[in-house]
Amino acid sequence: MQILVIEDDRDIAAGIGEFLGTHGHQVELVHDGRRGLDRAAGGAFDTIVLDRMLPGLDGVELCRRLRRRHIHTPVLMLTALDALDDKLTGFGAGADDYLAKPFALAELEVRLQALHRRHTPADVATTHLLTVGDLSYDTLALQAMRDDQALTLNPTTRRLLEYLMRASPRVVPRSELQTLLWGEQVPGDDVLRIHMHALRNSIDRPFDRKLLHTVHGVGYRLSADDA
C-alpha cells in the first residue's frame, strides 16, 4: 500500500513508518496539518494515518476538508482522546476508523489493510479467501481447509493463521505475533509457543507436507516452500 502518515510527533511517525516499511508498504511522513492536507489532496495514497491534534490544521478539520473536495481515501485517525464524543466528532468529519494512543503497530497495520480492502471493490470477492499451498482459509466463514478436510481452530489460532497467511512467505518475528495477540502486555514467550503448537497440530500434524516452519531465534514462516 501507499500510505500517508500525518503525525506531528516525529518519534511516533518514525516508528510507524519503519514498521510499515518493513512490511512492504510505501510510507510518506508529514508533520503538520497544512502540509498534510496538500499531500493528501495531491498524492495517490491507498490509506491515510491522521493524528487528531496537529499544528497548523487539526486532524478533524483536515479530514473534513478532504471530504469536501470529494477525496475519499480511507482515513484512520489517531488520538489520545478516546471519549465517545471525540470519536463521533472524528467519524462525523469523515474518518473511517479510529485508534487511541498508545496502540500496537501490528493492529494499526491490520486495520489499514482492512480499510484498503473495504475500499477496493474489485478485490472484495477474493481477499476473504487466503491460500498457501493446499491450505485455504475463508476469513468470512472462519473456516480453514486442507486437502478437502475441515480444520479445527480456536479464535487465537484463527487469528494467528490469518496473519501468517497474509504475511506468507515472509518470516514473522515472535515479537510481531505477540504484539498482534496482546499489544504491549505480553504474558511471556512460552504462551506464544503454546498457541503456535496448537496451530501446528491443526494445520500440519495430519499431513505429510509441513507448512508452518520455525525459524529458530527469529519467528515463524508459513509457506509450501521448505527453504
Side-chain angles (χ1 to χ4, degrees):
M1 284 189 293
Q2 299 284 337
I3 303 172
L4 175 64
V5 177
I6 309 172
E7 165 63 68
D8 65 317
D9 187 312
R10 293 176 181 268
D11 290 336
I12 293 176
I16 292 172
E18 181 178 0
F19 182 87
L20 295 176
T22 60
H23 289 72
H25 305 292
Q26 301 297 315
V27 184
E28 180 175 337
L29 305 179
V30 178
H31 304 298
D32 70 86
R34 297 195 181 280
R35 173 64 177 162
L37 178 61
D38 290 341
R39 291 301 300 128
F45 297 100
D46 296 307
T47 54
I48 297 171
V49 178
L50 176 62
D51 186 34
R52 175 165 177 154
M53 307 298 290
L54 291 167
L57 184 69
D58 72 76
V60 170
E61 182 59 24
L62 191 159
C63 191
R64 187 176 288 120
R65 293 187 188 186
L66 282 179
R67 300 317 187 212
R68 286 174 183 164
R69 297 184 189 187
H70 303 289
I71 297 169
H72 301 294
T73 307
V75 171
L76 186 151
M77 190 170 285
L78 301 177
T79 184
L81 306 172
D82 60 352
L84 177 59
D85 287 346
D86 297 313
K87 293 181 180 180
L88 292 177
T89 300
F91 287 129
D96 299 276
D97 198 1
Y98 221 97
L99 194 56
K101 298 176 181 179
F103 54 86
L105 290 169
E107 181 179 0
L108 173 65
E109 193 211 6
V110 168
R111 291 198 184 200
L112 290 173
Q113 294 277 18
L115 284 178
H116 182 46
R117 290 195 301 272
R118 193 185 310 159
H119 288 76
T120 310
D123 293 341
V124 170
T126 57
T127 53
H128 72 279
L129 185 62
L130 308 176
T131 59
V132 174
D134 60 349
L135 172 67
S136 65
Y137 179 58
D138 188 323
T139 63
L140 298 181
L142 302 180
Q143 180 61 64
M145 302 284 294
R146 188 169 181 191
D147 194 23
D148 295 325
Q149 297 182 40
L151 307 179
T152 301
L153 299 168
N154 61 41
T156 299
T157 51
R158 281 199 299 267
R159 194 173 181 191
L160 288 168
L161 178 63
E162 179 177 351
Y163 197 84
L164 288 165
M165 292 185 80
R166 292 193 186 281
S168 177
R170 178 173 67 87
V171 176
V172 180
R174 286 188 180 88
S175 60
E176 190 173 320
L177 294 174
Q178 289 171 329
T179 300
L180 172 70
L181 295 181
W182 301 293
E184 302 303 319
Q185 304 297 320
V186 178
D189 200 42
D190 287 341
V191 181
L192 178 62
R193 288 195 185 97
I194 291 170
H195 290 304
M196 295 305 297
H197 180 73
L199 178 60
R200 180 174 279 115
N201 282 344
S202 296
I203 68 174
D204 272 350
R205 175 171 281 187
F207 307 97
D208 293 333
R209 190 181 204 184
K210 306 308 177 187
L211 298 178
L212 183 57
H213 309 283
T214 300
V215 181
H216 294 288
V218 182
Y220 300 90
R221 175 174 175 265
L222 190 68
S223 174
D225 180 4
D226 294 334

